[in-house]
Amino acid sequence: MSATAAYRVSHLDALEAESIFVMREVVAELERPVLLFSGGKDSIVMLKLAEKAFAPARIPFPVMHVDTGHNFPEVLDYRDGRVAELSLQLVVASVQEAIDAGLVRESADGMRNRIQTPVLLAAIEKYRFDALFGGARRDEEKARAKERVFSFRDDFGQWDPKNQRPELWSLYNGRHHPGESIRIFPLSNWTELDIWHYIARERIPLPSIYYAHDREVIERDGMLYAVNEFIRPRGGETPFTARVRYRTVGDASCTAAVRSDADTVELVIDEVAATRITERGATRGDDRVSEAAMEDRKREGYF
């Protein structure tokens, strides 16, 4: 057998190579990219890919967290530790500061995901970012599946699913006018299971809440929400302790946990392989507002 015939590229190697290629294309084509980094598993993998893409040099762009102010402490600790480890510039776009300044108004239900959008758009304008790396994957949600790797946004930050540029042969068009921007999704072709296999292969540490632990929760709308300063029991709701983990992390006021005994990456992989519902569908209360909740937010400028 020839050396050429014996050569094989694994599924994860192919995904990694594609994502690294996308990141290098962005740095070559656009002037002021930034990586959206929340401390969630997808942004953690994306940051690892950026490390590999530009090694041995430092990552040549800052990271930004659109901070709702409703955070899980474990995730914030991880974010700050990783930023310090890589000597990155961290830009924090604060929803709480926007509320205090009157830029946005908090909704009656306390969820802040929707009001992240004007805060994000204000940060893009302030720092003149023209490319934003996001950790979205097409298997997360129906609206995500409509988006290309390079997602064009107009000068109002808005997304039009009918105005997407072709990406034949992985040729990406980053041309834009001043004020316009491109959202970049290097993980578009990854699945949740791919993410966990990559975390296992690369031995990437994660915030502890991604693994099974005991937590005080309440059941609301069929989901388990942690009892904390942002989620308090309502009439008829009784807190109880359950063995849970988080499949995704975000605003603590609308992100639920799932029952789980998976306390290692191998057990999480087994669990994810068997599930038939996406992590957003299983744990994000804000996506249950309507069938088109995510698409509506994306049209307004959400990442």
Side-chain angles (χ1 to χ4, degrees), residues 6-32:
Y7 181 70
R8 293 287 186 274
V9 176
S10 73
H11 176 61
L12 283 183
D13 285 337
L15 289 173
E16 179 188 71
E18 178 187 52
S19 298
I20 287 174
F21 170 73
V22 167
M23 289 183 162
R24 290 172 175 168
E25 280 291 294
V26 170
V27 170
E29 286 189 42
L30 293 113
E31 294 183 4
R32 297 181 67 85

Side-chain angles (χ1 to χ4, degrees), residues 118-144:
V119 178
L120 171 65
L121 296 179
I124 292 171
E125 182 177 3
K126 177 180 179 180
Y127 294 99
R128 298 186 292 113
F129 293 132
D130 59 358
L132 289 85
F133 292 105
R137 309 184 323 268
R138 291 188 177 120
D139 71 325
E140 279 184 84
E141 205 273 344
K142 290 179 287 187
R144 299 290 200 199

Side-chain angles (χ1 to χ4, degrees), residues 160-292:
D160 180 358
K162 296 180 180 179
N163 186 28
Q164 295 292 291
R165 298 167 176 177
E167 294 179 344
L168 303 175
W169 305 292
S170 297
L171 296 175
Y172 302 112
N173 182 357
R175 295 178 182 175
H176 62 285
H177 294 109
E180 299 171 343
S181 61
I182 310 290
R183 306 292 168 83
I184 314 294
F185 300 111
L187 305 181
S188 286
N189 293 324
W190 297 57
T191 66
E192 184 184 8
L193 192 57
D194 293 328
I195 292 292
W196 279 103
H197 277 299
Y198 192 76
I199 288 166
R201 191 186 79 173
E202 300 294 318
R203 299 180 180 178
I204 301 173
L206 295 180
S208 59
I209 63 174
Y210 275 111
Y211 299 105
H213 58 285
D214 293 326
R215 188 174 288 252
E216 187 180 29
V217 298
I218 55 172
E219 185 167 353
R220 180 178 298 171
D221 299 326
M223 295 191 289
L224 300 177
Y225 291 96
V227 177
N228 52 46
E229 60 182 304
F230 315 116
I231 293 278
R232 307 306 303 174
R234 298 172 182 168
E237 295 178 340
T238 302
F240 60 95
T241 300
R243 187 78 170 162
V244 300
R245 75 175 191 88
Y246 285 83
R247 289 179 65 185
T248 183
V249 297
D251 190 325
S253 63
C254 62
T255 304
V258 296
R259 293 183 185 274
S260 175
D261 290 316
D263 55 3
T264 66
V265 66
E266 293 78 16
L267 291 176
V268 170
I269 288 172
D270 291 342
E271 184 178 273
V272 172
T275 190
R276 292 296 177 266
I277 184 170
T278 69
E279 68 263 49
R280 290 196 71 94
T283 67
R284 297 301 286 269
D286 54 326
D287 286 344
R288 298 192 175 191
V289 175
S290 73
E291 283 291 320

Side-chain angles (χ1 to χ4, degrees), residues 139-156:
D139 71 325
E140 279 184 84
E141 205 273 344
K142 290 179 287 187
R144 299 290 200 199
K146 295 182 179 181
E147 205 149 29
R148 305 287 171 84
V149 175
F150 274 41
S151 178
F152 172 76
R153 305 299 173 97
D154 65 20
D155 51 358
F156 293 102

